[in-house]
Amino acid sequence: METDVQSNFTYMGRTFTNLSINGSSSSAFSDCNSDRSGEFPTASSQSRRLFLACASENSDELIHQLVSGLDSDSIDEAKQAAIEIRLLAKNKPENRIKIARAGAIKPLISLISSTDLQLQENGVTAILNLSLCDENKELIAASGAIKPLVRALKIGTSTAKENAACALLRLSQVEENKIAIGRSGAIPPLVNLLETGNFRGKKDASTALYSLCSVKENKVRAVQAGVMKPLVELMADFSSNMVDKSAFVVSELISTKEARAALVDEGGIPVLVEIVEVGTQRQKEIAVAILLQLCEDSVVYRTMVAREGAIPPLVALSQSGTNRAKRKAETLIDLLRQPRSGNAAATAIARTSGVPV
């Protein structure tokens, strides 16, 4: 049976009265509480439900009060305001524009630079939730969010790092932000998160890197930061649930000679051949596309791929893969079967100079 609760709720000096909460609110709050850190660390369950109820009926007035609270001299008050803005932005898409228009973005960015890690985490997550609205992305970037987000990515809590990666991903969906994000130093900490983070962190980092590395200078930065090592390790680990994502990042990088050399140096060829042999259809398609790009302009790499035993699984793929995989497998087989003896001198020169042929 549903039970109505009549109560008063005071927030930041304002009292909300005659709020009726029934049992159906708990499921909505459960959805809101799906973030990995608590939105209301000190509030009671009843206060949580009351906050959601009053927010739905008085959101404009409440939002302006919460934005004012972000500038409070009290860390606890600023933290609570950030927590509740974060919740409002997550739970109701229409609130994202209201919160941004109320002037929340700049004070939230200031919180991201806080030395209080919980305050920083809530600022990062609030900015992430606001960035889910396309209309807010340019304003967030123009307000100076990129460098503080990169800092949180370097030194924040694990949740702050993951959410900073997601926020940077959202901002990178505006094309001109990709270069700014790369030049602000985001690539090395994203590579570090890919290598050392938990599953959520690895997933967030790989997705952000995939987006950012559509820009050539970010590809070079990623390779220089050592991205190929964790990518090859994740592709080789079929239990990681990261084979597809890491292979997609490699496929984005492989157009540069630096990435091709790094992939080979990190032992990527046998890993890719194994994927062609035993991976899912999608994994096989990505792997054969990478191998084809690797081999198109290098006899040395063709020899290495052929010696790894690639031709039998490629023949099988050319007969039973997706249409795209079949075409790429057939093209790669033709390349691998081309005579290579006439290139011995060129190969020797390339090996001594470090340039693939």
Side-chain angles (χ1 to χ4, degrees):
M1 186 174 86
E2 294 184 347
T3 304
D4 286 345
V5 177
Q6 299 290 331
S7 182
N8 297 338
F9 173 51
T10 301
Y11 175 73
M12 295 180 69
R14 180 184 172 206
T15 300
F16 298 90
T17 59
N18 298 321
L19 295 171
S20 177
I21 309 296
N22 60 46
S24 63
S25 301
S26 62
S27 62
F29 182 75
S30 174
D31 290 341
C32 289
N33 204 31
S34 63
D35 278 350
R36 295 175 294 286
S37 57
E39 273 116 353
F40 290 89
T42 59
S44 69
S45 177
Q46 181 180 358
S47 294
R48 298 174 188 181
R49 296 196 302 273
L50 289 169
F51 173 75
L52 288 178
C54 73
S56 65
E57 296 176 8
N58 306 278
S59 61
D60 290 346
E61 185 178 349
L62 181 61
I63 284 168
H64 282 283
Q65 261 192 301
L66 291 172
V67 172
S68 296
L70 295 173
D71 290 321
S72 173
D73 292 333
S74 164
I75 288 180
D76 288 340
E77 284 190 14
K79 189 182 298 182
Q80 191 67 17
I83 284 169
E84 294 174 7
I85 283 176
R86 160 188 171 176
L87 175 61
L88 284 172
K90 178 187 175 186
N91 193 48
K92 285 205 163 191
E94 60 269 27
N95 285 337
R96 294 168 191 155
I97 294 177
K98 290 182 181 180
I99 292 168
R101 289 178 178 173
I105 288 174
K106 285 193 174 180
L108 284 171
I109 291 170
S110 295
L111 298 190
I112 298 175
S113 300
S114 171
T115 56
D116 184 296
L117 292 181
Q118 290 303 312
L119 193 56
Q120 180 191 69
E121 179 183 309
N122 284 296
V124 168
T125 308
I127 286 291
L128 165 61
N129 290 346
L130 292 176
S131 74
L132 299 176
C133 170
D134 288 341
E135 188 174 317
N136 290 338
K137 290 173 185 173
E138 290 187 16
L139 178 59
I140 290 170
S143 298
I146 291 173
K147 287 185 177 179
L149 286 170
V150 171
R151 182 175 180 272
L153 188 60
K154 292 176 180 177
I155 66 167
T157 65
S158 59
T159 298
K161 289 178 179 180
E162 292 160 13
N163 289 346
C166 285
L168 290 168
L169 165 65
R170 294 290 176 181
L171 298 184
S172 75
Q173 291 167 351
V174 178
E175 192 67 25
E176 53 265 33
N177 288 340
K178 293 181 179 181
I179 291 176
I181 292 169
R183 291 179 180 177
S184 295
I187 303 295
L190 283 171
V191 172
N192 185 62
L193 184 60
L194 180 69
E195 191 162 17
T196 64
N198 58 24
F199 174 69
R200 177 63 186 260
K202 291 178 190 295
K203 186 175 72 168
D204 294 341
S206 65
T207 308
L209 285 166
Y210 180 78
S211 175
L212 291 169
C213 288
S214 64
V215 175
K216 184 176 180 179
E217 66 181 67
N218 287 340
K219 297 181 203 284
V220 176
R221 289 190 181 97
V223 173
Q224 290 173 342
V227 72
M228 206 58 75
K229 181 178 184 290
L231 288 175
V232 170
E233 290 173 351
L234 289 168
M235 287 194 302
D237 183 1
F238 285 89
S239 66
S240 69
N241 291 320
M242 286 288 297
V243 175
D244 299 58
K245 285 186 177 294
S246 51
F248 273 122
V249 180
V250 173
S251 72
E252 188 65 55
L253 295 169
I254 200 68
S255 60
T256 67
K257 64 180 182 180
E258 296 89 349
R260 293 193 291 272
L263 175 64
V264 174
D265 289 346
E266 294 296 342
I269 288 176
V271 171
L272 289 165
V273 172
E274 183 181 15
I275 293 173
V276 172
E277 188 170 6
V278 301
T280 66
Q281 287 297 325
R282 183 166 73 165
Q283 290 166 0
K284 290 178 180 182
E285 185 175 309
I286 305 168
V288 72
I290 295 169
L291 286 170
L292 180 57
Q293 278 194 273
L294 187 68
C295 292
E296 275 176 332
D297 298 316
S298 173
V299 173
V300 173
Y301 293 159
R302 290 178 209 168
T303 301
M304 295 172 71
V305 171
R307 286 178 178 171
E308 205 56 51
I311 290 179
L314 284 170
V315 170
L317 184 61
S318 71
Q319 296 169 349
S320 62
T322 64
N323 288 336
R324 182 171 180 268
K326 286 178 180 178
R327 290 194 302 270
K328 290 190 177 295
E330 289 167 358
T331 303
L332 183 52
I333 290 167
D334 289 342
L335 277 177
L336 297 181
R337 285 177 169 166
Q338 285 179 6
R340 293 186 290 274
S341 58
N343 293 282
T347 300
I349 293 170
R351 283 175 175 163
T352 58
S353 62
V355 178
V357 297

